[in-house]
Amino acid sequence: MFTGIITEIGTIVATDSDATVSRNVHMTISAPQSVQGTALGGSIAVNGACLTVTSFGSDGSFTVDVMPESLRHTTLGELEPGSRVNLEPAITHSARLDGHIVQGHVDGVGTLESRNDGEAWTDLRFRLPEQLARYVASKGSVAVAGVSLTVTEVGPDWFGVSLIPTTLEHTILGDLREGSRVNIEVDVIAKYVERLLAAGATPTAALPTAPEVPAVQTPTADSLPGDDR
């Protein structure tokens, strides 16, 4: 589980040079901060995709195996040595939820349609697969390349966000140009609500009826034991 708050920008050190979507890819990433406190077999989100650490390097790097399913539905297959990536290790139960609930399960790939750089912020508009658009709501949350963002506007197959300079500087979102492809994860709560409603659920249908609790009689002064003096 993640929050969409990027802790480090890592760099791809090596990938399988002949990798295709028909086989898995071994990918090594330089990430001195992210490997601290992460155990072998632990999870790190790479551009929003949850990946399992299979080994560590002595130089502050880690290696992951990217399966064909992930390559088909994310931008991970487009990475090459030198590529910069957003990184976030899995959160602990005591961590602050500064972003929103992010599973690291990428729903699809979006494309940056426009970028408008202002003095104090930058407006980005992304086009996303139409089947995902219904899960994106104005003032709701969406993860773009693993970054938790607040949606500022929505359309039939697009949404907009506004980024402050800190976000642009400390994530790869500042590197994006028109046409850039990014991993998109929509709000998981919206997907569960749709699933429940499709199954005919009502707000109280699945809730058990609470048993009646006998009323407690409050003792009065006359009913309290006392001296017969």
Side-chain angles (χ1 to χ4, degrees):
M1 191 70 69
F2 308 91
T3 67
I5 304 299
I6 302 305
T7 58
E8 179 181 15
I9 295 180
T11 304
I12 302 298
V13 175
T15 64
D16 285 347
S17 58
D18 60 344
T20 68
V21 294
S22 63
R23 59 188 294 269
N24 63 314
V25 174
H26 304 291
M27 186 178 296
T28 301
I29 304 170
S30 175
Q33 297 178 39
S34 298
V35 298
Q36 300 298 321
T38 299
L40 186 66
S43 298
I44 296 179
V46 179
N47 281 354
C50 178
L51 299 176
T52 300
V53 176
T54 58
S55 66
F56 293 102
S58 58
D59 56 353
S61 65
F62 68 94
T63 299
V64 294
D65 287 343
V66 187
M67 304 305 291
E69 177 72 7
S70 297
L71 294 173
R72 284 191 293 267
H73 297 287
T74 73
T75 63
L76 295 178
E78 302 171 13
L79 299 176
E80 56 187 11
S83 296
R84 288 162 30 103
V85 290
N86 289 331
L87 299 176
E88 181 189 0
I91 63 172
T92 63
H93 291 295
S94 60
R96 291 176 48 165
L97 187 60
D98 285 331
H100 73 283
I101 297 174
V102 178
Q103 294 182 297
H105 301 163
V106 175
D107 293 301
V109 174
T111 303
L112 180 61
E113 191 173 67
S114 65
R115 172 173 178 156
N116 183 21
D117 293 300
E119 294 184 5
W121 68 86
T122 294
D123 294 322
L124 303 179
R125 176 178 289 190
F126 294 94
R127 189 168 297 279
L128 77 168
E130 191 171 352
Q131 68 270 21
L132 296 179
R134 64 180 181 271
Y135 302 115
V136 182
S138 180
K139 303 303 182 288
S141 297
V142 64
V144 177
V147 184
S148 174
L149 299 175
T150 299
V151 178
T152 57
E153 56 179 349
V154 295
D157 59 354
W158 59 267
F159 67 90
V161 295
S162 295
L163 308 185
I164 60 174
T166 298
T167 303
L168 295 170
E169 180 182 355
H170 294 287
T171 74
I172 66 165
L173 298 184
D175 302 338
L176 299 182
R177 297 295 179 264
E178 292 183 7
S180 296
R181 285 160 44 86
V182 291
N183 294 328
I184 301 290
E185 180 183 335
V186 297
D187 192 348
V188 65
I189 297 176
K191 292 190 289 184
Y192 276 121
V193 169
E194 180 186 64
R195 178 71 171 172
L196 288 169
L197 293 177
T202 61
T204 58
L207 299 178
T209 303
E212 293 186 5
V213 179
V216 177
Q217 297 293 330
T218 303
T220 62
D222 295 338
S223 63
L224 296 173
D227 296 333
D228 295 330
R229 291 181 296 176

Coordinates of all heavy atoms in Angstrom, one line a residue, residues 154-220:
V154 N -12.6 17.9 -15.2 CA -12.8 16.6 -15.8 C -13.5 16.8 -17.1 O -14.3 17.8 -17.3 CB -13.5 15.6 -14.9 CG1 -12.7 15.3 -13.7 CG2 -14.9 16.2 -14.5
G155 N -13.3 15.9 -18.0 CA -14.1 15.8 -19.3 C -14.4 14.4 -19.6 O -14.2 13.5 -18.8
P156 N -15.0 14.1 -20.8 CA -15.4 12.8 -21.2 C -14.3 11.8 -21.1 O -14.5 10.6 -20.7 CB -16.0 13.0 -22.6 CG -16.3 14.4 -22.7 CD -15.3 15.1 -21.8
D157 N -13.1 12.2 -21.5 CA -12.0 11.3 -21.5 C -10.7 12.0 -21.2 O -9.6 11.6 -21.6 CB -11.8 10.6 -22.9 CG -11.6 11.6 -24.0 OD1 -11.7 12.8 -23.8 OD2 -11.4 11.1 -25.2
W158 N -10.8 13.0 -20.3 CA -9.6 13.7 -19.9 C -9.8 14.3 -18.5 O -10.9 14.4 -18.0 CB -9.2 14.8 -20.8 CG -10.3 15.9 -21.1 CD1 -11.3 15.9 -22.0 CD2 -10.6 17.0 -20.2 NE1 -12.1 16.9 -21.9 CE2 -11.7 17.7 -20.8 CE3 -10.0 17.6 -19.1 CZ2 -12.2 18.8 -20.3 CZ3 -10.5 18.7 -18.6 CH2 -11.6 19.4 -19.2
F159 N -8.7 14.7 -17.8 CA -8.8 15.4 -16.6 C -7.6 16.3 -16.4 O -6.6 16.2 -17.1 CB -8.8 14.4 -15.4 CG -7.5 13.6 -15.2 CD1 -6.5 14.1 -14.4 CD2 -7.3 12.4 -15.8 CE1 -5.3 13.4 -14.2 CE2 -6.2 11.7 -15.7 CZ -5.1 12.2 -14.9
G160 N -7.8 17.3 -15.6 CA -6.7 18.3 -15.4 C -6.3 18.3 -14.0 O -7.0 18.0 -13.0
V161 N -5.0 18.7 -13.8 CA -4.4 18.9 -12.4 C -3.6 20.2 -12.4 O -3.1 20.6 -13.5 CB -3.6 17.7 -12.0 CG1 -4.4 16.5 -11.8 CG2 -2.4 17.5 -13.0
S162 N -3.4 20.7 -11.3 CA -2.5 21.9 -11.1 C -1.4 21.6 -10.2 O -1.7 21.1 -9.0 CB -3.3 23.1 -10.6 OG -4.3 23.5 -11.6
L163 N -0.1 21.8 -10.6 CA 1.0 21.4 -9.8 C 1.8 22.5 -9.3 O 2.1 23.5 -10.0 CB 1.9 20.4 -10.6 CG 1.3 19.2 -11.3 CD1 2.3 18.4 -11.9 CD2 0.5 18.4 -10.3
I164 N 2.2 22.5 -8.0 CA 3.1 23.5 -7.5 C 4.5 23.2 -7.8 O 4.9 22.1 -8.2 CB 2.9 23.6 -5.9 CG1 3.3 22.3 -5.3 CG2 1.5 24.0 -5.5 CD1 3.3 22.3 -3.8
P165 N 5.4 24.2 -7.8 CA 6.8 24.0 -8.1 C 7.5 22.8 -7.4 O 8.3 22.1 -7.9 CB 7.5 25.3 -7.8 CG 6.4 26.3 -8.0 CD 5.2 25.6 -7.5
T166 N 7.1 22.6 -6.1 CA 7.7 21.5 -5.3 C 7.4 20.2 -6.0 O 8.3 19.3 -6.1 CB 7.2 21.5 -3.9 OG1 7.6 22.8 -3.3 CG2 7.8 20.4 -3.1
T167 N 6.2 20.0 -6.4 CA 5.8 18.7 -7.0 C 6.6 18.5 -8.3 O 7.1 17.4 -8.7 CB 4.3 18.6 -7.3 OG1 3.6 18.8 -6.1 CG2 3.9 17.3 -7.9
L168 N 6.7 19.6 -9.1 CA 7.4 19.5 -10.4 C 8.9 19.2 -10.2 O 9.5 18.5 -11.0 CB 7.3 20.8 -11.1 CG 5.9 21.2 -11.6 CD1 5.8 22.6 -12.1 CD2 5.4 20.2 -12.7
E169 N 9.5 19.7 -9.1 CA 10.9 19.6 -8.8 C 11.3 18.2 -8.3 O 12.3 17.6 -8.6 CB 11.4 20.7 -7.9 CG 12.9 20.6 -7.5 CD 13.3 21.6 -6.5 OE1 12.5 22.5 -6.2 OE2 14.5 21.6 -6.1
H170 N 10.4 17.7 -7.4 CA 10.7 16.5 -6.7 C 10.1 15.2 -7.2 O 10.1 14.1 -6.6 CB 10.3 16.6 -5.2 CG 11.1 17.7 -4.5 ND1 12.5 17.5 -4.2 CD2 10.9 18.9 -4.1 CE1 12.9 18.5 -3.6 NE2 12.0 19.5 -3.5
T171 N 9.5 15.3 -8.4 CA 8.9 14.1 -9.1 C 9.3 14.3 -10.6 O 9.7 15.3 -11.0 CB 7.4 14.0 -9.0 OG1 6.8 15.0 -9.8 CG2 6.9 14.2 -7.5
I172 N 9.0 13.2 -11.4 CA 9.3 13.3 -12.8 C 8.2 14.0 -13.6 O 8.4 14.2 -14.8 CB 9.5 11.9 -13.4 CG1 8.2 11.1 -13.4 CG2 10.7 11.1 -12.7 CD1 8.3 9.8 -14.3
L173 N 7.2 14.5 -12.9 CA 6.1 15.2 -13.6 C 6.7 16.5 -14.2 O 6.1 17.0 -15.2 CB 5.0 15.5 -12.6 CG 4.2 14.3 -12.0 CD1 3.0 14.7 -11.2 CD2 3.8 13.3 -13.1
G174 N 7.7 17.0 -13.6 CA 8.3 18.2 -14.2 C 9.0 18.0 -15.5 O 9.3 18.9 -16.3
D175 N 9.3 16.7 -15.8 CA 10.0 16.3 -17.0 C 9.0 16.1 -18.2 O 9.4 16.0 -19.3 CB 10.8 15.0 -16.9 CG 11.8 15.1 -15.8 OD1 12.2 16.2 -15.4 OD2 12.2 14.0 -15.3
L176 N 7.7 16.1 -17.9 CA 6.7 15.7 -18.9 C 6.5 16.8 -19.9 O 6.6 18.0 -19.6 CB 5.4 15.4 -18.2 CG 5.3 14.3 -17.2 CD1 3.9 14.1 -16.7 CD2 5.8 13.0 -17.8
R177 N 6.4 16.3 -21.2 CA 6.0 17.2 -22.3 C 4.8 16.7 -23.0 O 4.4 15.5 -22.8 CB 7.2 17.3 -23.3 CG 8.5 17.9 -22.6 CD 8.3 19.3 -22.3 NE 9.5 19.9 -21.6 CZ 9.7 20.0 -20.3 NH1 8.8 19.5 -19.5 NH2 10.7 20.6 -19.9
E178 N 4.2 17.5 -23.8 CA 3.0 17.0 -24.6 C 3.3 15.7 -25.3 O 4.3 15.6 -26.0 CB 2.5 18.1 -25.5 CG 2.0 19.3 -24.8 CD 1.4 20.3 -25.8 OE1 1.3 20.0 -27.0 OE2 1.1 21.4 -25.3
G179 N 2.5 14.7 -25.1 CA 2.7 13.4 -25.7 C 3.3 12.4 -24.8 O 3.3 11.2 -25.1
S180 N 3.8 12.9 -23.6 CA 4.4 11.9 -22.7 C 3.3 11.0 -22.1 O 2.2 11.4 -21.9 CB 5.0 12.7 -21.5 OG 6.1 13.5 -21.9
R181 N 3.7 9.7 -22.0 CA 2.8 8.7 -21.5 C 3.1 8.4 -20.0 O 4.2 8.4 -19.6 CB 3.0 7.4 -22.3 CG 2.4 7.4 -23.7 CD 2.9 6.4 -24.6 NE 3.0 5.1 -24.0 CZ 2.1 4.1 -24.0 NH1 0.9 4.4 -24.5 NH2 2.3 3.0 -23.4
V182 N 2.0 8.3 -19.2 CA 2.1 8.1 -17.8 C 1.2 7.0 -17.3 O 0.1 6.8 -17.8 CB 1.8 9.4 -17.0 CG1 2.9 10.5 -17.3 CG2 0.5 10.0 -17.4
N183 N 1.6 6.4 -16.2 CA 0.7 5.4 -15.5 C -0.4 6.1 -14.8 O -0.1 7.1 -14.1 CB 1.5 4.5 -14.6 CG 2.6 3.6 -15.3 OD1 2.3 3.2 -16.4 ND2 3.7 3.4 -14.6
I184 N -1.6 5.6 -14.9 CA -2.7 6.1 -14.2 C -3.4 5.1 -13.3 O -3.6 3.9 -13.7 CB -3.8 6.6 -15.2 CG1 -3.3 7.7 -16.1 CG2 -5.0 7.1 -14.4 CD1 -3.0 9.0 -15.5
E185 N -3.6 5.5 -12.0 CA -4.4 4.6 -11.1 C -5.5 5.5 -10.6 O -5.3 6.5 -9.9 CB -3.5 4.1 -9.9 CG -4.3 3.2 -9.0 CD -3.6 2.7 -7.8 OE1 -2.3 2.6 -7.9 OE2 -4.2 2.4 -6.7
V186 N -6.7 5.1 -10.8 CA -7.9 5.8 -10.4 C -8.2 5.4 -8.9 O -7.6 4.5 -8.4 CB -9.1 5.6 -11.3 CG1 -8.9 6.1 -12.7 CG2 -9.5 4.1 -11.3
D187 N -9.1 6.1 -8.3 CA -9.4 5.9 -6.9 C -10.1 4.5 -6.7 O -11.1 4.3 -7.3 CB -10.4 7.0 -6.4 CG -10.5 7.0 -4.9 OD1 -10.1 6.1 -4.3 OD2 -11.1 8.0 -4.4
V188 N -9.4 3.7 -5.9 CA -10.0 2.3 -5.7 C -11.3 2.4 -5.0 O -12.2 1.5 -5.3 CB -9.0 1.5 -4.9 CG1 -8.8 2.1 -3.4 CG2 -9.4 0.0 -4.8
I189 N -11.6 3.4 -4.2 CA -12.9 3.4 -3.6 C -14.0 3.6 -4.6 O -15.1 3.0 -4.5 CB -13.0 4.6 -2.5 CG1 -11.9 4.3 -1.4 CG2 -14.4 4.8 -1.9 CD1 -11.8 5.5 -0.4
A190 N -13.8 4.4 -5.6 CA -14.8 4.5 -6.7 C -15.1 3.2 -7.4 O -16.3 2.9 -7.7 CB -14.3 5.6 -7.7
K191 N -14.1 2.4 -7.6 CA -14.3 1.1 -8.3 C -15.1 0.2 -7.4 O -15.9 -0.6 -7.9 CB -12.9 0.5 -8.6 CG -12.2 1.3 -9.7 CD -11.0 0.5 -10.2 CE -9.9 0.5 -9.2 NZ -8.7 -0.2 -9.7
Y192 N -14.8 0.2 -6.1 CA -15.6 -0.7 -5.2 C -17.0 -0.3 -5.1 O -17.9 -1.1 -5.1 CB -15.0 -0.7 -3.8 CG -13.8 -1.7 -3.7 CD1 -12.5 -1.3 -3.3 CD2 -14.0 -3.0 -3.9 CE1 -11.5 -2.2 -3.2 CE2 -13.0 -3.9 -3.8 CZ -11.7 -3.5 -3.4 OH -10.7 -4.4 -3.3
V193 N -17.3 1.1 -5.1 CA -18.7 1.5 -5.0 C -19.4 1.1 -6.2 O -20.6 0.6 -6.2 CB -18.7 3.1 -4.8 CG1 -20.1 3.6 -5.0 CG2 -18.2 3.5 -3.5
E194 N -18.8 1.3 -7.4 CA -19.5 0.8 -8.7 C -19.8 -0.6 -8.6 O -20.8 -1.1 -9.0 CB -18.6 1.2 -9.8 CG -19.2 0.8 -11.2 CD -18.2 1.0 -12.3 OE1 -17.2 0.3 -12.4 OE2 -18.6 1.8 -13.2
R195 N -18.8 -1.4 -8.1 CA -19.0 -2.9 -8.1 C -20.2 -3.3 -7.2 O -21.0 -4.1 -7.5 CB -17.7 -3.5 -7.6 CG -17.8 -5.1 -7.4 CD -17.8 -5.7 -8.8 NE -17.7 -7.2 -8.6 CZ -17.8 -8.0 -9.6 NH1 -18.1 -7.6 -10.8 NH2 -17.7 -9.3 -9.4
L196 N -20.3 -2.6 -6.0 CA -21.4 -2.9 -5.1 C -22.7 -2.5 -5.7 O -23.7 -3.2 -5.5 CB -21.1 -2.2 -3.8 CG -20.0 -2.7 -2.9 CD1 -19.6 -1.7 -1.8 CD2 -20.3 -4.1 -2.4
L197 N -22.8 -1.3 -6.3 CA -24.0 -0.9 -6.9 C -24.5 -1.8 -8.0 O -25.7 -2.0 -8.2 CB -23.9 0.6 -7.3 CG -23.7 1.6 -6.2 CD1 -23.5 3.0 -6.8 CD2 -24.9 1.6 -5.3
A198 N -23.5 -2.2 -8.8 CA -23.8 -3.1 -9.9 C -24.4 -4.5 -9.4 O -25.2 -5.1 -10.1 CB -22.6 -3.4 -10.8
A199 N -24.0 -4.8 -8.2 CA -24.5 -6.1 -7.6 C -25.9 -5.9 -6.9 O -26.4 -6.8 -6.3 CB -23.5 -6.6 -6.7
G200 N -26.4 -4.7 -7.0 CA -27.7 -4.4 -6.4 C -27.6 -4.0 -4.9 O -28.6 -4.1 -4.2
A201 N -26.4 -3.7 -4.4 CA -26.3 -3.3 -3.0 C -26.9 -2.0 -2.8 O -27.0 -1.1 -3.6 CB -24.8 -3.2 -2.6
T202 N -27.5 -1.8 -1.6 CA -28.0 -0.5 -1.1 C -27.2 -0.1 0.1 O -26.4 -0.9 0.7 CB -29.5 -0.7 -0.7 OG1 -29.6 -1.6 0.4 CG2 -30.3 -1.2 -1.8
P203 N -27.2 1.1 0.5 CA -26.4 1.6 1.6 C -26.4 0.8 2.9 O -25.5 0.7 3.6 CB -26.9 3.0 1.8 CG -27.4 3.5 0.5 CD -28.0 2.2 -0.1
T204 N -27.6 0.1 3.2 CA -27.7 -0.6 4.4 C -27.9 -2.1 4.2 O -28.1 -2.9 5.1 CB -28.9 -0.1 5.3 OG1 -30.1 -0.1 4.5 CG2 -28.6 1.4 5.7
A205 N -28.0 -2.5 2.9 CA -28.3 -3.9 2.6 C -27.4 -4.9 3.3 O -27.8 -6.0 3.7 CB -28.4 -4.2 1.1
A206 N -26.1 -4.6 3.3 CA -25.1 -5.6 3.8 C -24.8 -5.4 5.3 O -24.0 -6.2 5.8 CB -23.8 -5.4 3.0
L207 N -25.5 -4.5 5.9 CA -25.2 -4.3 7.3 C -26.1 -5.1 8.2 O -27.3 -5.1 8.0 CB -25.4 -2.8 7.7 CG -24.5 -1.8 6.9 CD1 -24.8 -0.4 7.4 CD2 -23.0 -2.1 7.2
P208 N -25.6 -5.9 9.1 CA -26.4 -6.7 10.0 C -27.2 -5.8 11.0 O -26.8 -4.7 11.3 CB -25.4 -7.5 10.8 CG -24.1 -6.7 10.8 CD -24.1 -6.0 9.4
T209 N -28.4 -6.3 11.3 CA -29.2 -5.5 12.3 C -28.6 -5.7 13.7 O -28.4 -6.8 14.1 CB -30.6 -6.1 12.2 OG1 -31.1 -6.0 10.9 CG2 -31.5 -5.3 13.2
A210 N -28.4 -4.6 14.3 CA -27.9 -4.6 15.7 C -28.9 -5.1 16.6 O -30.1 -4.8 16.6 CB -27.4 -3.2 16.1
P211 N -28.5 -6.0 17.5 CA -29.5 -6.5 18.5 C -29.9 -5.4 19.5 O -29.2 -4.5 19.8 CB -28.6 -7.6 19.3 CG -27.2 -7.1 19.1 CD -27.2 -6.5 17.7
E212 N -31.2 -5.6 19.9 CA -31.7 -4.6 20.9 C -31.0 -4.8 22.2 O -30.8 -5.9 22.7 CB -33.2 -4.8 21.0 CG -34.0 -4.4 19.8 CD -35.5 -4.4 20.0 OE1 -35.9 -4.6 21.2 OE2 -36.2 -4.2 19.0
V213 N -30.6 -3.6 22.8 CA -30.0 -3.7 24.1 C -31.0 -3.3 25.2 O -31.7 -2.2 25.0 CB -28.8 -2.7 24.1 CG1 -28.2 -2.7 25.5 CG2 -27.8 -3.0 23.1
P214 N -31.2 -4.1 26.2 CA -32.2 -3.8 27.2 C -31.9 -2.5 27.9 O -30.7 -2.1 28.1 CB -32.0 -5.0 28.2 CG -31.4 -6.1 27.4 CD -30.5 -5.4 26.4
A215 N -32.9 -1.7 28.1 CA -32.8 -0.5 28.8 C -32.2 -0.6 30.2 O -32.6 -1.6 30.9 CB -34.1 0.3 28.8
V216 N -31.3 0.2 30.6 CA -30.8 0.1 32.0 C -31.5 1.1 32.9 O -31.7 2.3 32.6 CB -29.3 0.5 31.9 CG1 -28.7 0.5 33.3 CG2 -28.5 -0.4 31.0
Q217 N -32.0 0.5 34.0 CA -32.8 1.4 34.9 C -31.8 2.1 35.8 O -30.9 1.6 36.4 CB -33.7 0.5 35.8 CG -34.8 -0.3 35.0 CD -35.8 0.6 34.4 OE1 -36.1 1.7 35.0 NE2 -36.4 0.2 33.3
T218 N -32.0 3.4 35.8 CA -31.2 4.3 36.6 C -31.7 4.3 38.1 O -32.9 4.5 38.3 CB -31.2 5.7 36.1 OG1 -30.8 5.7 34.8 CG2 -30.3 6.6 37.0
P219 N -30.9 3.9 39.0 CA -31.4 3.8 40.4 C -31.8 5.2 40.9 O -31.2 6.2 40.6 CB -30.2 3.2 41.2 CG -29.0 3.6 40.3 CD -29.5 3.5 38.9
T220 N -32.8 5.2 41.8 CA -33.3 6.4 42.4 C -32.9 6.4 43.8 O -32.4 5.4 44.4 CB -34.8 6.6 42.3 OG1 -35.4 5.5 43.0 CG2 -35.2 6.5 40.8

